[in-house]
Amino acid sequence: MTTKIRDRLLVGTILSAVAFTTPVVAQTAVAAQTVDAEAQPGDIVVTAQRRSERLQGVPIQIQALTSATIQNAGIRTSGEALSLTPNASFDQGNTYKSTFITMRGLTQINNADPPVAFVIDGVPQTDQTQLNVNLFDIERIEILKGPQGALYGRNASGGAINIVTKLPGNQLGGFANGQYSNGDGIIGSAGLSGPLIDDKLLFSVDGSYNHFGGLVRNSFRGDHSDFIDHDWTLRGRLIAKPTDTLTIDLHGEYGKYQASSNYYSAVFSGNPNDFVDPQFNLPGSASGRNVNVSAKIDLDLGFATMTSITGHTDLTQVNRADLDYRNPVQSPSGIFGLGFQAGQGQDLKLKTTSQEFRLVSNGHERFRWLGGVYYLHTDRDFRTRAFVDLNSDPAQIDTPALLFANKQESNKNNAYAAFAQADFDILPVLTLTGGLRYDEDHRNQNDLIGNIQRKKTYDHVQPKVTLTYKPSSDMLFYATFGTGFRSGGFNAPTVPIPDFRAETLQNYEAGFKAQFLDRKVTFNGAYYFENVKNYQYFYVEASSASQVIDNIDKVHIQGIELELSARPVTGLEITGAIGTTLSRIKDSATASDIGNRTPRTVPFSSNLSAQYSVPISDRVNGLARLDWQHFGKKYWGADNVDIQTPYDLVNLRAGVEFGNFGIFGFTKNLLNDKYYSEYIPTKYSGLDVALGYHGRPRTYGVEGRIKF
């Protein structure tokens, strides 16, 4: 399809869908417990700053996805939610659970901390494998852009993602959703919640299941390389309210999965816009399980609320895959022309325990404050092997004579933090906010093969200051200075670069939020400038099966974000947003990279969401929705040689609701645009061939849901 024809089809699709067009930021009723006096029915209330506030009254650029938006847009994963946010992307690559979050130019790297704080019901998710979450029974997702270190601490340089699940209530009820799509895709979820003792003891139980036959064909094996055999989760929750001032909230979750892994295509042309099928001979697979438990205790002391949040995670993953990503028939010379094929495998065991104590002042007085302390302990055992592949059997990894790389490491990390934030209304229309956080990480790595220990401590003070001017309840201007910190750490044993430095950031930002015409039109925007020191990035050294993290000495990033939403007529809501990320490498050990854009940068992105809801009869409502995401050029490496051309993802969804039952048809990636969600040039792959990881092709199907 030519660009001209594709663009005409895209515009035509949009114009026809606008006739049925909710903004991504849908509205929800104000929570009863909100303390923001300016909130009105229909406003979104968020807890981004650890207290309930009206979204439009928070001096942060926030994308808030309510339960209605998540349901109506057919959002099933945290990745799909983040992709609706300009200046942010959620790519997949490497193993089944590996993800690459990029926000405002700061990007995820393998085997290290993410660039954003990722929190579910107050519990931080600290590992790369924990970020691709299956969403069901979700109350709200808050995506905060810009450094949030003062409140969210380490790894919040790019922003924070706050996921809030639904609370059970006093009414017994439940839900069930089922979806079938091409590629033999089956997704289901169901749940039940209600009271065991009215107002005193509430419960919820729910679960999800995912199966996918695959759509990315392996041209050598003849099967599909992107399959999901199973991925299921069971979750339980118990809320006890023994007194009017005490609430105890207990969570438990268990999940297992078995799916495809590392389904890279060997791109012999070295062109990131040459989309070829995978052709490897050794099948890739990943299997794992996870256990998550948490306890949240809220005690109202009158003048303030004390909160304790305890979380524990125990997860494992076993990964097996091809290493040369070719086959002995079409590439008999093998890896590096050495005459043999190669395979790889990684075994991961991760345990984390976290504890936070927080005290937040009650009410909405002239002076508001909060403070707290935080602790995180991490045990991470990781084994990596590379082996000579004689027969395409992943079990060869356990044959010592075939191994040519064998690394096994044990990592322990103790992280400590203390934080505080205060708001003071200098005038009724002018507020000064100050925040401060101190983070300290103690890292310890033990090379179990070479019996070598390494220890290092990283620490940083993160201040934040914001001045907010509210000339009216519907208009806000702010200027802010904030900082970010991503801890340094150790690469795997025997890697030529033994460790990487901590990444720090200073952010200068000015923005506004405004609503007009009885809050039917919302217009928000911001300009930001980031000064980043020791920018962290990632590459592979395939000959030793090493994944390497390194630093770029100094980077400048600046950009704008604009969002406009409107409700021009009853039932019709439209949102459009754009974001720019203009990064420049200012200082680097690789002199030729100076002046270039940073890896994985997308300088321009935008989206359009439109939804139309109309009553068809007294008992039947119709719903139609369009989501269009545009991704501009993508610069894969710091040398800026490999650039992926722009692409568009268009999703359509339409259906009817009969009371508590609904049935919908949908398509995602309507135009079947091809793109790589990860592309690794030879310079950064360590192989003699570039690698590309296919994005999801066009999918379509039907979905039914019921509430009772």
Side-chain angles (χ1 to χ4, degrees):
M1 181 183 294
T2 67
T3 301
K4 188 173 182 180
I5 295 174
R6 193 268 304 279
D7 289 346
R8 288 179 177 176
L9 177 58
L10 180 59
V11 171
T13 303
I14 293 170
L15 292 177
S16 62
V18 162
F20 303 93
T21 52
T22 247
V24 176
V25 182
Q27 303 298 309
T28 186
V30 177
Q33 71 273 19
T34 181
V35 297
D36 191 337
E38 295 178 350
Q40 299 178 8
D43 286 340
I44 297 177
V45 172
V46 297
T47 55
Q49 298 192 106
R50 310 302 198 193
R51 64 172 78 243
S52 296
E53 298 174 287
R54 177 174 170 253
L55 173 64
Q56 285 297 113
V58 180
I60 302 171
Q61 294 300 309
I62 303 176
Q63 189 87 354
L65 307 178
T66 66
S67 58
T69 302
I70 294 168
Q71 178 175 276
N72 292 334
I75 295 172
R76 294 291 181 178
T77 66
S78 51
E80 290 179 340
L82 193 65
S83 66
L84 294 179
T85 304
N87 275 350
S89 64
F90 194 107
D91 298 329
Q92 287 190 266
N94 203 29
T95 68
Y96 172 61
K97 286 292 185 177
S98 289
T99 54
F100 299 92
I101 293 179
T102 302
M103 189 175 292
R104 285 190 174 180
L106 302 174
T107 185
Q108 172 70 52
I109 46 185
N110 275 344
N111 304 322
D113 296 328
V116 300
F118 195 95
V119 180
I120 301 178
D121 289 331
V123 180
Q125 313 297 301
T126 59
D127 190 81
Q128 180 184 15
T129 60
Q130 296 176 278
L131 308 187
N132 192 17
V133 179
N134 293 323
L135 300 178
F136 55 99
D137 209 23
I138 300 298
E139 177 64 32
R140 186 175 65 256
I141 301 175
E142 303 168 1
I143 302 171
L144 292 69
K145 288 182 279 189
Q148 307 299 325
L151 288 183
Y152 289 87
R154 59 201 292 279
N155 312 331
S157 299
I161 300 173
N162 188 29
I163 298 179
V164 182
T165 60
K166 287 185 178 179
L167 289 169
N170 275 321
Q171 295 292 325
L172 183 65
F175 71 94
N177 294 313
Q179 174 182 299
Y180 183 80
S181 65
N182 62 319
D184 194 27
I186 301 172
I187 299 176
S189 61
L192 182 70
S193 66
L196 296 174
I197 303 175
D198 284 352
D199 296 320
K200 296 295 184 182
L201 193 61
L202 310 173
F203 82 97
S204 67
V205 291
D206 47 38
S208 69
Y209 175 81
N210 189 3
H211 168 83
F212 184 51
L215 291 172
V216 177
R217 184 176 179 273
N218 185 306
S219 60
F220 177 75
R221 292 179 54 82
D223 56 9
H224 291 104
S225 297
D226 58 334
F227 71 93
I228 302 173
D229 183 80
H230 64 266
D231 184 348
W232 58 263
T233 300
L234 294 176
R235 192 169 62 192
R237 187 173 191 178
L238 192 65
I239 298 179
K241 300 180 180 180
T243 70
D244 292 339
T245 59
L246 178 63
T247 301
I248 302 172
D249 187 353
L250 305 176
H251 282 249
E253 179 181 288
Y254 181 76
K256 291 188 71 174
Y257 61 86
Q258 182 172 333
S260 61
S261 183
N262 297 73
Y263 56 88
Y264 292 97
S265 299
V267 186
F268 291 96
S269 67
N271 181 354
N273 302 295
D274 180 14
F275 302 104
V276 296
D277 291 334
Q279 55 173 278
F280 50 79
N281 63 292
L282 194 151
S285 66
S287 60
R289 57 104 181 141
N290 66 278
V291 178
N292 296 302
V293 293
S294 67
K296 180 182 179 185
I297 302 173
D298 290 301
L299 178 62
D300 189 346
L301 302 174
F303 72 98
T305 297
M306 177 176 284
T307 299
S308 167
I309 302 176
T310 307
H312 179 75
T313 294
D314 185 343
L315 66 83
T316 62
Q317 183 180 84
V318 176
N319 184 70
R320 301 291 183 265
D322 208 300
L323 181 58
D324 57 279
Y325 299 102
R326 285 158 285 185
N327 62 78
V329 176
Q330 295 165 300
S331 301
S333 60
I335 188 170
F336 301 117
L338 297 176
F340 64 86
Q341 305 293 307
Q344 62 172 312
Q346 298 85 31
D347 297 341
L348 170 67
K349 294 182 179 180
L350 177 72
K351 292 183 179 181
T352 65
T353 301
S354 63
Q355 176 64 55
E356 179 175 336
F357 292 106
R358 186 170 68 234
L359 195 63
V360 182
S361 65
N362 287 335
H364 203 265
E365 305 301 327
R366 186 178 182 185
F367 180 69
R368 304 170 297 281
W369 54 269
L370 63 83
V373 294
Y374 174 77
Y375 169 74
L376 171 68
H377 175 75
T378 302
D379 285 320
R380 187 177 189 272
D381 295 332
F382 193 59
R383 187 187 76 168
T384 301
R385 286 181 170 180
F387 58 90
V388 176
D389 173 22
L390 301 178
N391 58 15
S392 302
D393 185 354
Q396 296 170 102
I397 195 172
D398 296 317
T399 303
L402 297 179
L403 298 180
F404 61 86
N406 186 22
K407 298 181 176 68
Q408 191 167 357
E409 60 187 91
S410 175
N411 295 275
K412 295 184 183 296
N413 178 33
N414 287 302
Y416 307 87
F419 59 91
Q421 180 168 300
D423 300 272
F424 179 68
D425 296 333
I426 302 171
L427 299 170
V429 296
L430 190 65
T431 300
L432 178 65
T433 301
L436 188 68
R437 183 175 183 120
Y438 174 73
D439 278 283
E440 186 174 288
D441 279 17
H442 298 261
R443 294 188 179 268
N444 184 331
Q445 184 188 81
N446 185 13
D447 177 357
L448 301 180
I449 303 296
N451 195 26
I452 299 173
Q453 279 198 340
R454 296 187 285 182
K455 296 181 180 180
K456 201 163 187 178
T457 297
Y458 303 86
D459 62 352
H460 195 66
V461 177
Q462 301 178 73
K464 184 176 183 180
V465 180
T466 303
L467 187 64
T468 306
Y469 174 58
K470 293 183 181 180
S472 71
S473 61
D474 291 332
M475 189 165 292
L476 173 153
F477 300 92
Y478 72 89
T480 186
F481 167 78
T483 56
F485 165 66
R486 182 155 46 157
S487 177
F490 300 109
N491 282 308
T494 72
V495 170
I497 299 175
D499 57 13
F500 53 95
R501 301 186 298 274
E503 178 184 272
T504 60
L505 172 148
Q506 295 173 321
N507 178 68
Y508 304 86
E509 183 173 336
F512 66 89
K513 293 186 174 184
Q515 291 186 305
F516 312 97
L517 302 177
D518 195 25
R519 299 187 176 180
K520 291 182 179 179
V521 177
T522 300
F523 185 37
N524 299 335
Y527 165 81
Y528 66 93
F529 174 82
E530 299 173 341
N531 179 23
V532 189
K533 293 182 179 180
N534 299 324
Y535 182 101
Q536 295 177 0
Y537 74 106
F538 167 85
Y539 59 92
V540 176
E541 188 183 79
S543 60
S544 61
S546 299
Q547 299 178 345
V548 185
I549 302 169
D550 204 349
N551 297 95
I552 298 173
D553 296 329
K554 188 174 183 179
V555 169
H556 286 173
I557 305 172
Q558 62 179 322
I560 61 171
E561 293 163 348
L562 296 172
E563 179 184 7
L564 178 66
S565 63
R567 292 175 287 148
V569 297
T570 301
L572 175 62
E573 302 187 23
I574 305 173
T575 288
I578 63 171
T580 65
T581 302
L582 306 177
S583 64
R584 283 289 180 266
I585 297 174
K586 306 298 289 185
D587 190 14
S588 173
T590 305
S592 59
D593 290 345
I594 296 175
N596 290 347
R597 303 185 188 276
T598 51
R600 305 184 74 92
T601 290
V602 178
F604 178 82
S605 59
S606 63
N607 64 46
L608 171 70
S609 295
Q611 181 175 296
Y612 186 58
S613 178
V614 59
I616 298 175
S617 68
D618 291 342
R619 294 180 54 83
V620 181
N621 286 316
L623 180 81
R625 181 180 177 96
L626 161 83
D627 288 297
W628 170 34
Q629 305 153 53
H630 172 77
F631 299 89
K633 292 180 179 179
K634 191 164 192 172
Y635 294 77
W636 288 108
D639 58 6
N640 287 187
V641 172
D642 300 278
I643 305 172
Q644 184 167 270
T645 58
Y647 65 95
D648 300 276
L649 299 181
V650 179
N651 302 336
L652 292 178
R653 183 178 175 84
V656 293
E657 294 178 321
F658 306 83
N660 291 330
F661 176 75
I663 186 167
F664 299 85
F666 66 89
T667 180
K668 297 184 178 182
N669 192 5
L670 172 69
L671 304 181
N672 202 28
D673 263 21
K674 294 184 178 181
Y675 63 98
Y676 288 127
S677 64
E678 186 183 17
Y679 179 83
I680 311 176
T682 55
K683 179 177 179 179
Y684 301 101
S685 72
L687 287 172
D688 51 348
V689 65
L691 303 177
Y693 197 97
H694 277 274
R696 180 66 63 89
R698 177 172 51 224
T699 59
Y700 50 86
V702 295
E703 176 187 346
R705 65 177 185 234
I706 187 171
K707 294 181 180 180
F708 54 90

